[in-house]
Amino acid sequence: MKNFWAAFICSAMILSSSLCLATVDNGKIVLGGITPGMTEAELIDAFGQPLHKSGDDWTYKNFKVEVERGIVEKVSTRSEFLAADGVRVGLKAEVLNDTFGRADEFDRDYDGEEYEYDSIDRTKTIKFKVVNGIIVKITCELKD
């Protein structure tokens, strides 16, 4: 019986730790009021018409969006004027751990690092491109 309870407790701990990998609430996957999954109409109501449209890619003054079938699939910025839960381009990367916790994915390439955080339900992600310890780009998108 002791072995049963030990196995049960270990299984519960493993299961709960695997469920804790995603640390970002769905409501935090938003950039300056633009959220992946919002409709084209909601985007236009909130921000007006884009400065430029090229197929699915729309360009606004401080951000770009990808709109597919009337839904915002992706929003990104290199501007310091938009924030994701208070995190902006130009801030030091250390703010990411304080704000979002440990990254679900971390990738280092030739020109910097990328920190990726998935939503709790794994339907959205937010990515931060960091060069020389400074955030240079923020992207929110629906996951495939």
Side-chain angles (χ1 to χ4, degrees):
M1 192 66 166
K2 272 186 176 179
N3 288 338
F4 169 78
W5 286 109
F8 177 78
I9 291 170
C10 286
S11 297
M13 290 174 64
I14 290 169
L15 178 61
S16 68
S17 69
S18 69
L19 294 175
C20 295
L21 289 176
T23 57
V24 180
D25 185 79
N26 286 13
K28 287 188 173 190
I29 311 285
V30 60
L31 182 58
I34 307 135
T35 232
M38 72 190 305
T39 67
E40 178 181 322
E42 291 169 329
L43 177 68
I44 292 170
D45 284 347
F47 297 95
Q49 290 291 331
L51 300 173
H52 179 71
K53 284 184 183 180
S54 177
D56 294 338
D57 299 321
W58 295 15
T59 303
Y60 285 83
K61 182 177 179 183
N62 294 311
F63 62 94
K64 293 182 178 183
V65 294
E66 186 178 304
V67 178
E68 292 183 20
R69 296 177 307 281
I71 300 294
V72 173
E73 293 280 328
K74 179 178 178 179
V75 57
S76 62
T77 190
R78 293 182 180 273
S79 171
E80 61 192 32
F81 296 109
L82 295 179
D85 201 29
V87 176
R88 302 174 181 281
V89 167
L91 294 179
K92 291 183 180 183
E94 287 87 31
V95 304
L96 296 175
N97 283 337
D98 294 337
T99 305
F100 296 101
R102 191 171 141 238
D104 292 306
E105 302 264 341
F106 174 80
D107 185 36
R108 180 172 285 135
D109 58 20
Y110 71 95
D111 68 341
E113 298 92 31
E114 186 173 80
Y115 296 78
E116 182 175 328
Y117 302 86
D118 293 332
S119 63
I120 292 169
D121 66 1
R122 302 272 196 228
T123 61
K124 300 176 186 176
T125 189
I126 186 166
K127 300 176 185 179
F128 298 89
K129 177 69 176 184
V130 174
V131 176
N132 296 324
I134 303 297
I135 299 166
V136 297
K137 183 178 181 184
I138 304 171
T139 303
C140 297
E141 62 189 324
L142 293 176
K143 290 190 70 126
D144 294 330

